[in-house]
Amino acid sequence: MQLDLDVTGRKVVVLGSAAGARRCVARFVRGGARVTLVATDGPPGTRLDTVRYVAAPAPDDTSALLRLVGPAWIVVFVDPAAPLRDRVVELAGHLRVMTTTEAPAETVGAVTLVGGGPGRAGLLTVEAVAALGAADVVFYDRLAPTDDLAALAPAAELVDVGKTPFHHPVEQRSIEQLLVDRARAGQSVVRLKGGDPFVFGRGGEEMLACLDAGVRVRVVPGVSSAVAVPAACGIPVTHRGLSHAFTVISGHQRPSEAELDGLARLGGTIVVLMGVVNLEQIATGLLRAGMDPDTPAAVVERGYSDSQRSTFSRLGSLADDARRLQVASPAVVVIGAVVSVAPGLADAARVLDDLPAWADALTPDAALTSEDARAPDDVADRSGP
Ligand code: SAH
């Protein structure tokens, strides 16, 4: 069982090796506690300004131990040897001081590439949450779930290396160097990315950079927006009888005519990430390659945020609709029959029947467009029995 306690101003005594206890110490300091580190292995390597450091007394030095335990609100054991731990437990019991135990931090630096999902903290995996909780430093991007990051990574320094389209404040090679340098300094480094790190996320390059530098690296996959963002408005990327394949492409660089031709011939669902800028070229290329202009299409912007917007259209009018409605990144474009499965599409048709002012320029044939900001839960609600 876990209790959530406010540690502000509380005296917390942490008992263990300086390296093993660093994460626990950082977390209590962040929480506003007054921390004394009773270190079993000499002073910490780096100076901790806000932390009082004391060398651990011998287990039989009762008066020294009483001076430490007596004023404490809680004693946290990280990795002390059993005799010292047992003696402190005994004294704390007499003094009615709480004790608890925490796993020590890793002492060998390593990098974990973590997929953060499409932006909502609830779509982080359990393993992603564990990696964040164990991090000394988190390098994160704009599309990762950043709102709750301080709570998810309570011991970590948080560094925004935030990429936005066509703007990378920290160059890719510099990011890789930062990961390597911090891991070499013994830190547990998390590189948090939106979606999955290996789907248009440059995670592969970061993994190779770590391996080249002899740094341990592992990958925690994430929920990719390629599948999850269509789902946010109820579009399944495959659907029995409609589509048994889906292709995910990047629209960051203009796809070649040959690629678009191949896509059109392959059939199935086409999912475009980073597709807003080149949407017109992609749509006209697919039409030139012979795709039916009536093919249903949708653009889902800011999936899983409060301002999520789904625009339903058809391939022939997709680019015009997107321009008129000022569709903006981040957005996922879905082209294919599966779009017609979306519950939102029925809503969009209803909206058109009502002919609100913004729909003046629309005709039902030209576009089925919903401007509702729709929370993903709505979709779940509607898909109930
Ligand atoms: N690795 C990521 C993709 C990175 S490319 C993943 O697996 O999801 C960035 C693109 O992902 C954006 O341009 C957009 O097309 C898409 N994207 C990511 N998060 C999104 C969101 N919450 N809503 C809409 N599109 C999103």
Side-chain angles (χ1 to χ4, degrees), residues 137-141 157-162 170 178 182 191:
V137 58
V138 178
F139 295 100
Y140 64 93
D141 276 348
E157 179 190 348
L158 306 177
V159 184
D160 180 1
V161 287
V170 183
L178 283 168
R182 294 301 194 95
R191 173 73 175 107

Side-chain angles (χ1 to χ4, degrees), residues 117-128:
R120 193 200 253 198
L123 292 174
L124 282 162
T125 64
V126 174
E127 197 156 331

Side-chain angles (χ1 to χ4, degrees), residues 118 143 194-196 199-200 224-225 229 273-274 300 302-303 329-332:
L143 289 175
D196 183 274
V199 178
F200 304 130
S224 178
S225 63
V229 170
L273 302 192
M274 298 177 278
V300 188
R302 300 175 295 278
S329 176
V332 172

